[in-house]
Amino acid sequence: MVYKTVLALTATASLAAAGPCDIYASGGTPCVAAHSTTRALYNGYSGSLYQVLRGSDNATTDIRPLSAGGVANAATQDNFCAGSTCLISIIYDQSGRNNHLTQAPPGGAARGPNSNGFDYLAGAFGAPVTLNGQKAYGVFSSPFTGYRNNNPSGTAKGDGAEGLYAVFDGTHYNTGCCFDYGNAETSSLDTGNGHMEAIYFGTGDGSGRGTGSGSGPWIMADLENGLFTGFDPINNPANPTISPRFLTAIVKGQPGNWAIRGGDSTSGSLSTFYNGARPNNGYNPMSKEGAIILGIGGDNSDSAQGTFYEGVMTSGFPSDATENAVQQNIKAAGYATTSLTSGPALNVGSRVSFRVTTPNFTNRYIAHTGAQVNTQVVSSSSAAALKQQSSWTVRAGLALSSCFSFESVDSPGQFIRHANYQLMVNTNDNSKIFHEDATFCPQTGVNGQGNTIRSWSYPARYWRHYNSIVYIAGNSGPHEFDNPAVFNDDISFVVSPSFA
Ligand SMILES: *[C@@H]1O[C@H](CO)[C@@H](O)[C@H](O)[C@H]1NC(C)=O
Ligand SMILES: *[C@@H]1O[C@H](CO)[C@@H](O)[C@H](O)[C@H]1NC(C)=O
């Protein structure tokens, strides 16, 4: 089938140096919310992009662009967070309307995992990228992670017109509800059909969830009680499976009409996958409420995952030409991948052991007893079986080859994976979730020794030994094993040649 290809707007001289929101403004549809942890979205913006929260002392700092209109100063984060862990605590609104995104509160569908019912904050190191060679960090949203603003200013309400775009990682998604960015209920409750208008990305399944062609993921619109790819609530075959590493995703709506568009953020132009009538049954007219969500559904449904780099909400229905110019700007920003690992190198194919560095426990190594991963005292005079139980073969990451997976030496085909926050040794069933749960990204040990092993799929969490059991733990999270005491030592391991 042939998709409508839209000619790119020829950038005028005055827009040559413009940011996305300058382009939207010149098109008569100004940004009323502008969020990015990677760069300024206005040519003149030099204020704060986002705030990070440090695990060791709960101190915060703001990350700004290197210069007005520029890329985030990632070195500020790297320096501030060195020797500790960090979370992204605020994503500032660059539009001047104070539409900042902060930790999402509990909603009708779900209380978040924290004791106050709030969702998780994203780990600050889960989504490193470069923009024209300069390092920046995106927002890697694991399940139960969410940001929200329920007291917005200037966003579309009722049947009011708006445009939304976001740059996502097109390879990071799941079927859970709902990895969204955009307009939602101000109450965090499902207040009925048409009370949301947000970009959704993933393979959303179950009742009320639409599909496009192929097996997904798809860009869809979360309009509440339904993920839509077009007029037909079930399927729009013109909406393709789309999964470039950097994905520009667009949803826009005006009375009686809405559209989905998308493309590769690094090449080519945008295509229109739907532009037509509103669905029936409460979606025409719309009843938008104007709150802003990221990583969750309107009622705080929080089981989805995805990665966000930048996005905006506009006032008014942007023209295709305006959006095409924004796409050219995104391409020119030069998004590219970069290393997810740091610290002492691990070599695929080698066999390693992981020694604890917490004082008084440094004779213990990561081992397993059956499926349970634990720490045990191991030495060169230990029994052969224990030497094997504490030895691991380094493999390329099952979900992502630039990180690693660890195969048990005594149980080939079985890998360390996290399940319900605990490390287990399980047989690789080749499922997407197993591969993701078994992929880990080592970084420089936060206590200055060895490596700290970050979960790829929950990058706010790290291998941690606690009462001789090994978990993926987040500093000061809701679980007992998230206890901040000796956290940095407990998550740092010296990687050495294996015992067996
Ligand atoms: C940080 O704040 C949390 C939540 O108030 C608290 O549980 C934790 O102990 C604090 N951590 C430190 C290192 O002060
Ligand atoms: C290590 O063990 C010694 C002797 O049992 C004890 O006095 C000391 O407090 C322990 N140190 C730490 C850091 O737990």
Side-chain angles (χ1 to χ4, degrees):
M1 103 200 24
V2 176
Y3 300 121
K4 192 171 138 195
T5 302
V6 184
L7 293 173
L9 180 80
T10 304
T12 63
S14 65
L15 286 180
C21 287
D22 304 305
I23 296 168
Y24 277 112
S26 73
T29 50
C31 295
V32 290
H35 302 112
S36 177
T37 55
T38 63
R39 65 175 183 140
L41 299 176
Y42 293 84
N43 190 38
Y45 188 76
S46 58
S48 297
L49 300 173
Y50 65 105
Q51 182 194 72
V52 290
L53 167 66
R54 186 165 61 195
S56 54
D57 59 359
N58 285 331
T60 60
T61 200
D62 286 347
I63 313 299
R64 293 165 179 267
L66 288 162
S67 59
V71 174
N73 189 344
T76 307
Q77 174 176 318
D78 291 342
N79 294 334
F80 180 78
C81 302
S84 186
T85 58
C86 272
L87 303 172
I88 295 173
S89 40
I90 301 174
I91 304 165
Y92 292 106
D93 172 26
Q94 302 176 28
S95 80
R97 290 179 175 271
N98 289 318
N99 285 324
H100 311 310
L101 292 170
T102 57
Q103 191 169 20
R111 280 178 61 82
N114 287 300
S115 56
N116 59 2
F118 279 55
D119 293 332
Y120 285 141
L121 294 169
F125 292 94
V129 291
T130 57
L131 278 71
N132 289 328
Q134 290 172 318
K135 193 172 185 187
Y137 294 100
V139 184
F140 188 109
S141 186
S142 306
F144 319 118
T145 303
Y147 295 83
R148 191 164 192 127
N149 184 320
N150 277 343
N151 187 21
S153 159
T155 51
K157 294 196 169 136
D159 208 26
E162 70 175 350
L164 312 166
Y165 91 84
V167 176
F168 297 142
D169 178 343
T171 68
H172 183 211
Y173 58 86
N174 68 5
T175 63
C177 179
C178 288
F179 182 72
D180 289 348
Y181 174 72
N183 194 315
E185 294 93 338
T186 52
S187 58
S188 299
L189 303 173
D190 175 353
T191 51
N193 296 0
H195 284 248
M196 295 178 63
E197 187 172 70
I199 308 169
Y200 167 85
F201 180 67
T203 51
D205 57 6
S207 72
R209 318 237 182 128
T211 56
S213 61
S215 53
W218 304 283
I219 304 167
M220 300 197 270
D222 189 345
L223 305 178
E224 191 53 277
N225 300 316
L227 298 174
F228 291 89
T229 61
F231 176 73
D232 182 329
I234 305 301
N235 179 254
N236 168 15
N239 193 3
T241 291
I242 188 165
S243 199
R245 176 61 179 77
F246 296 101
L247 171 70
T248 307
I250 286 179
V251 166
K252 56 182 168 178
Q254 61 185 342
N257 169 244
W258 71 288
I260 300 180
R261 308 184 72 213
D264 185 327
S265 303
T266 66
S267 68
S269 53
L270 298 173
S271 298
T272 299
F273 303 137
Y274 182 74
N275 188 337
R278 294 276 188 189
N280 292 323
N281 299 320
Y283 301 100
N284 189 16
M286 294 287 284
S287 309
K288 294 173 223 181
E289 297 188 24
I292 309 169
I293 51 172
L294 173 60
I296 48 176
D299 58 3
N300 196 45
S301 295
D302 61 0
S303 58
Q305 63 185 25
T307 297
F308 173 91
Y309 300 103
E310 60 177 76
V312 310
M313 302 171 71
T314 71
S315 174
F317 188 81
S319 69
D320 285 0
T322 296
E323 290 164 350
N324 296 345
V326 169
Q327 163 72 0
Q328 297 309 312
N329 172 278
I330 295 166
K331 273 162 56 176
Y335 275 95
T337 57
T338 189
S339 175
L340 282 153
T341 63
S342 63
L346 278 72
N347 297 311
V348 170
S350 67
R351 287 184 176 186
V352 297
S353 61
F354 299 96
R355 183 177 62 74
V356 167
T357 65
T358 308
N360 284 10
F361 298 93
T362 56
N363 58 348
R364 302 185 77 90
Y365 290 78
I366 292 180
H368 74 106
T369 304
Q372 185 180 71
V373 176
N374 51 28
T375 64
Q376 299 192 47
V377 176
V378 189
S379 70
S380 56
S381 53
S382 294
L386 179 56
K387 287 180 173 176
Q388 291 220 332
Q389 287 158 6
S390 57
S391 297
W392 310 93
T393 304
V394 178
R395 301 294 184 198
L398 293 170
L400 192 75
S401 61
S402 51
C403 289
F404 299 97
S405 294
F406 301 99
E407 186 175 8
S408 168
V409 164
D410 74 351
S411 307
Q414 299 193 17
F415 291 78
I416 297 178
R417 61 89 64 94
H418 66 85
N420 203 15
Y421 302 107
Q422 198 174 328
L423 290 190
M424 311 294 285
V425 172
N426 289 158
T427 300
N428 176 12
D429 64 9
N430 277 315
S431 64
K432 180 174 184 287
I433 187 79
F434 187 93
H435 288 176
E436 294 178 351
D437 289 351
T439 297
F440 301 95
C441 306
Q443 62 185 53
T444 303
V446 294
N447 73 350
Q449 299 179 58
N451 294 92
T452 287
I453 319 280
R454 194 173 71 240
S455 163
W456 175 78
S457 54
Y458 286 77
R461 296 187 161 271
Y462 307 83
W463 287 10
R464 184 202 193 163
H465 72 98
Y466 193 82
N467 290 336
S468 302
I469 304 295
V470 189
Y471 300 89
I472 55 166
N475 195 334
S476 303
H479 311 286
E480 191 195 338
F481 51 80
D482 297 328
N483 186 323
V486 292
F487 190 84
N488 286 357
D489 289 333
D490 286 354
I491 65 169
S492 300
F493 299 90
V494 170
V495 183
S496 308
S498 66
F499 288 98

